[in-house]
Structure formats: structure tokens, C-alpha cells
Amino acid sequence: MGSNSVNTSIGRVSTVDIITALGISKTTAHRLVSNLEELGFLKHGIEHGHYQVGPRLMELATNVLTTSFSQGPSTHFSWSFQGALRKP
């Protein structure tokens, strides 16, 4: 695993993993995680301080994969991403 990699071997990341991978402060990491959690892109895992893929990120990934297989990734990725950001 490279120095800028996040340990996702068990499907979860910790705040420390995010801090290390992105090179950001603890405060910034917590704010980022909080915002992503609020938007549904991350969800709090069972273990304290660990996060996993949230329903909105899973939906976004599914939409991207579905459209990329049927019509190519470049034209539909931005559409899927913009649609995900507009959802409440």
C-alpha cells in the first residue's frame, strides 16, 4: 500500500486513514467526514471513528457503472454525479 493510499481492505476507513491519505488536519478531516455523512456519502461504521460507504455513494457508483456499461462512462458520469448532488 502506498503512502497516499487509504486502507479499505475491510471496507471501512478511519478518520486517521483520511488524515494520512489526504494530508489534512484532524479538524478538517472531521468536518469533511461530517459533511459527507450528512449528505449520505459516508455512514458511521460499527467501530468508533470508522466509516463506510453510505447509500448515496453506493447509488452514485451503481448509476455510473450501469450507464458506463450501456453508453460509455464519459458522457454519463457527470450527469450521474450532478444528479446525486442535487438530491435532498
Side-chain angles (χ1 to χ4, degrees):
M1 184 175 303
S3 61
N4 288 332
S5 301
V6 175
N7 180 9
T8 59
S9 60
I10 55 174
R12 294 181 294 268
V13 295
S14 70
T15 308
V16 173
D17 292 331
I18 294 168
I19 291 167
T20 303
L22 299 179
I24 57 179
S25 71
K26 186 176 180 179
T27 303
T28 301
H30 283 285
R31 186 172 49 242
L32 175 64
V33 166
S34 177
N35 288 337
L36 290 171
E37 191 175 13
E38 185 177 317
L39 293 169
F41 290 105
L42 288 180
K43 69 179 185 177
H44 200 103
I46 296 170
E47 298 174 57
H48 177 71
H50 285 79
Y51 300 87
Q52 57 196 43
V53 172
R56 297 235 358 245
L57 185 54
M58 186 66 77
E59 179 185 4
L60 175 62
T62 300
N63 288 341
V64 168
L65 289 173
T66 301
T67 57
S68 68
F69 284 121
S70 65
Q71 299 179 3
S74 61
T75 58
H76 292 282
F77 176 76
S78 63
W79 176 84
S80 296
F81 187 71
Q82 290 170 0
L85 291 178
R86 281 193 290 252
K87 290 184 180 179

